[in-house]
Amino acid sequence: MSTPTAAFAALADDTRWTILVRLGQEPASASTLAKELPVSRQAIAKHLEVLAQAGLVEGQRHGREVLHHPVGARLSELGRDLQRIGAVWEHRLAGIKKIAEEN
């Protein structure tokens, strides 16, 4: 399993983010994605590889094509991590606000 850092680094690229959002609608091949996006098929394949190495997408062979889809469990895990971080900071900020209001 890749680290959260690798996943967020993979998602930091606008094209990879666009690909992931698109795959969230329905699985697609690299060729299909290349037709829909202003990126070559070879570049799409490289982006898919980065996303796969980060554990964010998987490919599944269907005949001659490989259809790629998001890995929901991995995305949910990242979402939970972000929620935990956000909750800690909300708690800290609430404490700071309370102290500021008391003074």
Side-chain angles (χ1 to χ4, degrees), residues 20-82:
L20 186 64
V21 169
R22 165 55 184 83
L23 292 176
Q25 297 169 0
E26 68 178 328
S29 67
S31 297
T32 298
L33 293 169
K35 290 175 189 172
E36 296 175 5
L37 302 171
V39 183
S40 70
R41 192 215 170 281
Q42 291 80 10
I44 294 286
K46 288 180 184 179
H47 285 300
L48 287 168
E49 180 61 27
V50 171
L51 290 167
Q53 288 177 353
L56 299 171
V57 301
E58 291 179 341
Q60 194 170 30
R61 183 162 293 283
H62 288 271
R64 292 178 47 180
E65 287 188 315
V66 176
L67 296 181
H68 302 275
H69 59 89
V71 178
R74 179 71 172 130
L75 293 168
S76 294
E77 177 186 343
L78 290 173
R80 285 189 301 273
D81 289 345
L82 289 173

Side-chain angles (χ1 to χ4, degrees), residues 64 91 101:
R64 292 178 47 180
H91 178 73
E101 290 172 348

